[in-house]
Amino acid sequence: MDQFFKDYPEEPVLLEDLSVRFMRESLFVPVRLEDNVLTIAMADPDDFSVVEALQLAYGFEIRTLRGKEDDILGAIEKLYGIGTQSLEMIIEEADKDVYEIASSEGDEDIDHLRDLASEAPIIRLVNRLVFNAVEQHASDIHFEPFEDEFKVRYRIDGVLADVESPPKRLQAAIISRVKIMAKLDIGERRLPQDGRIKMKIGNKEIDFRVSTLPTLYGESVVMRILDRESLMLDLKLLGFPPRLLERYKGLISQPYGMILVCGPTGSGKTSTLYTTLAMINSPEKKIITLEDPVEYQLKGVNQIQVNPKIGLDFASGLRSIVRQDPDVILVGEIRDSETAEIAVQSALTGHLLFSTLHTNDACGAITRLLEMGVEGFLLNSTLLGVLSQRLVRTICPYCKERVEPEQRLLDSLVADGIDPEEMEFYAGRGCDECRNSGYKGRTGIFEFLPIDQEIRAEIGRNASTERIRQVAISKGMKTLRQSGWEKVRSGITTIEEVLRVTLEW
């Protein structure tokens, strides 16, 4: 009975220009190099053509050992797979193996394109780009075609950053590979498409939401990274200050009413709402969500994904949810008057309802609902509070140092009635840990508007957003920018960062 080699090395034997594809196709892997003798494990040690090729390429004496095919392929992946080769090496290898093809409609054969997208170098290249993005805690990967280049960018801490991009000639194969992974039609390049990918990276199962969009020079693809383990179900970790946390907890413990979270895309609304649901979830409560799309799965929560193609939109879905006897409802977004009306009616009939609105601030949410046709007296009876939020980048703790900001930045503090002389300012110098950005991670800044009797009176008078804001501030509401200044005072972020995310003020 044949004895199979099993003692594969922990580190790869690095040989210049050794092709991973050649190793896979020939079913061999180097296991050691000593005194000009290269030992390889092979599925077929009698394949002299491989031995001769290695002798000619490197001049070594070749010693062969018999290995199982599965063991050899596993060792190749472990030693030479996506986690070990540099991106530059993988791009070079893909560039050697995949030749340029036209990317305009009808110029290439779809079957040929599918074959190219299934080549090992392209698979490894896309896997590595995804692997790096997850490793760097990116939220999105952008594949962007231009006239003479093909760009890849990661959104890290809310800001896009260029990464090493593949040659333009690999564009069609890379885009097709992503579309195949997302089970999209690679032959359709004229219409937008949406799909999902589930991948195991390390020990983590990660979901990706994929969106394609035809542009002048090919399809633009964006992959949203949905890492369940990165979801922090703790309001303190999301940046809630102690006093706000206490007031918000009091609000979400109400038996019925409507609570809104406002802010632009990417401001952390989903994280806040998921954390809120996790806090109030219990065996005594039935929680149903209606989302577009369902980003993370919450244990013990009934989650529904809207599907307008079959008539399941927010309005129709919300009507059906109410008949399911829920205690708590989350509607992903109030987009139109019909949804707004049903949401208010649901809150009025004994449900605690959460939703989001795309408004600049908390006070603007009231005006938006009134503009959607919600009656003031109904809003008065149902709305419990509005939370507006943004995410600011936090200073990198590894290169944080005290600084003296420019006078124009200090003037912005003075304009808000803050004396810069009473504060110390910090910034990140830039290091490997933060990719020389000076920032690492993000935290929230918040504007919280509880709906009390005075605010209800203003709503009843159809007061303007500005009037409601004035009344709220006179009662102690902190604006987004004031919340940001507190994070600057605490040495968490910088003046520039607060100004960047509160520019509309």
Side-chain angles (χ1 to χ4, degrees):
M1 189 177 188
D2 284 332
Q3 290 291 317
F4 290 102
F5 177 75
K6 292 181 179 176
D7 193 20
Y8 291 92
E10 289 298 314
E11 298 291 334
V13 177
L14 296 176
L15 299 172
E16 190 176 353
D17 293 329
L18 179 61
S19 164
V20 176
R21 180 180 181 180
F22 178 49
M23 284 192 281
R24 279 205 182 96
E25 290 177 350
S26 304
L27 292 173
F28 80 93
V29 63
V31 294
R32 62 179 167 271
L33 176 60
E34 293 173 348
D35 301 326
N36 218 38
V37 177
L38 176 65
T39 303
I40 62 173
M42 294 183 70
D44 179 12
D46 296 324
D47 188 348
F48 297 112
S49 62
V50 174
V51 174
E52 287 174 4
L54 290 170
Q55 283 174 331
L56 283 171
Y58 300 105
F60 301 136
E61 180 186 335
I62 307 298
R63 183 180 167 223
T64 61
L65 302 168
R66 183 181 295 277
K68 285 185 179 177
E69 182 177 326
D70 288 348
D71 291 346
I72 290 168
L73 290 171
I76 292 170
E77 186 57 36
K78 177 188 171 188
L79 298 171
Y80 301 93
I82 64 169
T84 53
Q85 278 184 292
S86 72
L87 184 58
E88 185 181 4
M89 287 169 62
I90 295 171
I91 289 173
E92 281 181 12
E93 186 177 323
D95 205 15
K96 283 180 191 173
D97 286 30
V98 180
Y99 57 85
E100 183 175 2
I101 57 175
S103 58
S104 57
E105 180 193 349
D107 282 353
E108 76 269 272
D109 179 71
I110 297 304
D111 290 335
H112 179 52
L113 190 56
R114 185 176 282 106
D115 289 343
L116 285 177
S118 302
E119 290 280 345
I122 291 296
I123 292 173
R124 191 158 51 254
L125 173 53
V126 172
N127 285 354
R128 185 53 189 256
L129 287 166
V130 171
F131 177 88
N132 284 358
V134 172
E135 196 173 48
Q136 294 178 37
H137 305 291
S139 61
D140 301 85
I141 308 170
H142 291 243
F143 297 91
E144 301 172 312
F146 296 98
E147 183 177 12
D148 52 3
E149 66 176 331
F150 178 55
K151 265 191 176 183
V152 180
R153 297 197 285 175
Y154 297 160
R155 189 175 293 280
I156 301 171
D157 293 336
V159 178
L160 281 170
D162 286 333
V163 297
E164 188 174 349
S165 296
K168 174 76 173 173
R169 57 183 161 271
L170 298 182
Q171 173 184 314
I174 290 170
I175 295 298
S176 296
R177 175 62 195 161
V178 175
K179 289 173 74 174
I180 287 170
M181 292 166 72
K183 297 181 173 58
L184 301 178
D185 180 2
I186 67 168
E188 179 54 79
R189 294 183 295 280
R190 301 163 301 170
L191 294 171
Q193 296 185 68
D194 294 296
R196 290 182 86 97
I197 300 170
K198 191 184 287 287
M199 286 179 73
K200 188 161 188 177
I201 297 180
N203 296 320
K204 295 195 292 187
E205 284 274 356
I206 297 179
D207 290 324
F208 299 85
R209 216 168 69 214
V210 179
S211 167
T212 74
L213 189 71
T215 72
L216 195 59
Y217 299 108
E219 287 178 286
S220 169
V221 175
V222 176
M223 297 175 69
R224 165 65 57 90
I225 301 170
L226 303 171
D227 181 0
R228 290 190 209 105
E229 291 184 23
S230 70
L231 185 65
M232 299 180 295
L233 297 177
D234 185 332
L235 292 177
K236 282 183 187 173
L237 294 177
L238 294 178
F240 274 65
R243 186 163 177 270
L244 172 57
L245 183 57
E246 188 180 329
R247 297 176 74 193
Y248 185 69
K249 281 182 177 177
L251 195 72
I252 64 177
S253 63
Q254 300 298 312
Y256 59 86
M258 183 163 67
I259 298 168
L260 299 175
V261 180
C262 304
T265 302
S267 59
K269 300 188 299 294
T270 300
S271 295
T272 296
L273 286 172
Y274 276 6
T275 305
T276 301
L277 293 184
M279 287 172 63
I280 63 177
N281 192 12
S282 69
E284 299 83 35
K285 289 180 181 171
K286 175 155 186 170
I287 301 175
I288 306 181
T289 74
L290 188 62
E291 305 172 60
D292 183 20
V294 173
E295 293 194 10
Y296 301 95
Q297 293 167 21
L298 294 173
K299 194 171 182 181
V301 176
N302 296 276
Q303 294 173 272
I304 304 165
Q305 182 155 316
V306 301
N307 188 347
K309 290 178 183 175
I310 59 170
L312 179 58
D313 55 19
F314 282 122
S316 62
L318 189 48
R319 280 198 195 90
S320 301
I321 283 175
V322 175
R323 295 195 287 269
Q324 287 281 307
D325 187 31
D327 298 291
V328 180
I329 301 170
L330 166 64
V331 182
E333 187 184 341
I334 295 177
R335 295 177 180 170
D336 52 52
S337 56
E338 189 181 6
T339 308
E341 186 182 334
I342 302 167
V344 169
Q345 290 291 342
S346 302
L348 199 61
T349 53
H351 305 97
L352 184 61
L353 185 136
F354 295 91
S355 192
T356 70
L357 270 177
H358 285 286
T359 59
N360 286 338
D361 63 345
C363 301
I366 294 171
T367 313
R368 179 68 57 82
L369 287 172
L370 292 171
E371 287 171 352
M372 284 182 177
V374 176
E375 295 288 349
F377 72 92
L378 288 176
L379 205 53
N380 268 337
S381 304
T382 56
L383 191 59
L384 298 175
V386 185
L387 182 75
S388 180
Q389 68 179 76
R390 300 288 188 279
L391 292 175
V392 293
R393 291 180 293 171
T394 54
I395 299 168
C396 174
Y398 298 95
C399 60
K400 182 176 178 178
E401 61 184 14
R402 192 172 172 184
V403 296
E404 285 298 326
E406 297 174 32
Q407 188 58 46
R408 65 179 179 83
L409 297 173
L410 296 175
D411 289 344
S412 61
L413 288 170
V414 175
D416 279 345
I418 298 171
D419 184 2
E421 297 294 327
E422 298 175 353
M423 298 171 68
E424 290 183 355
F425 301 95
Y426 297 87
R429 185 177 59 253
C431 65
D432 290 342
E433 288 288 336
C434 61
R435 304 169 308 281
N436 292 310
S437 68
Y439 297 99
K440 191 174 177 67
R442 289 189 291 176
T443 190
I445 59 173
F446 304 92
E447 179 178 289
F448 179 56
L449 174 66
I451 308 299
D452 59 15
Q453 289 306 317
E454 287 185 54
I455 300 296
R456 291 187 204 284
E458 295 298 333
I459 295 172
R461 285 192 284 268
N462 280 329
S464 66
T465 301
E466 190 53 44
R467 173 60 187 162
I468 294 171
R469 184 184 294 118
Q470 287 172 1
V471 173
I473 290 173
S474 71
K475 293 176 62 61
M477 183 186 81
K478 285 183 176 163
T479 65
L480 282 167
R481 186 166 284 187
Q482 287 170 334
S483 175
W485 294 149
E486 288 187 356
K487 295 285 166 89
V488 173
R489 189 187 296 276
S490 302
I492 294 170
T493 191
T494 63
I495 300 176
E496 295 98 322
E497 190 63 10
V498 172
L499 293 175
R500 180 181 72 85
V501 302
T502 60
L503 198 59
E504 68 272 12
W505 296 91

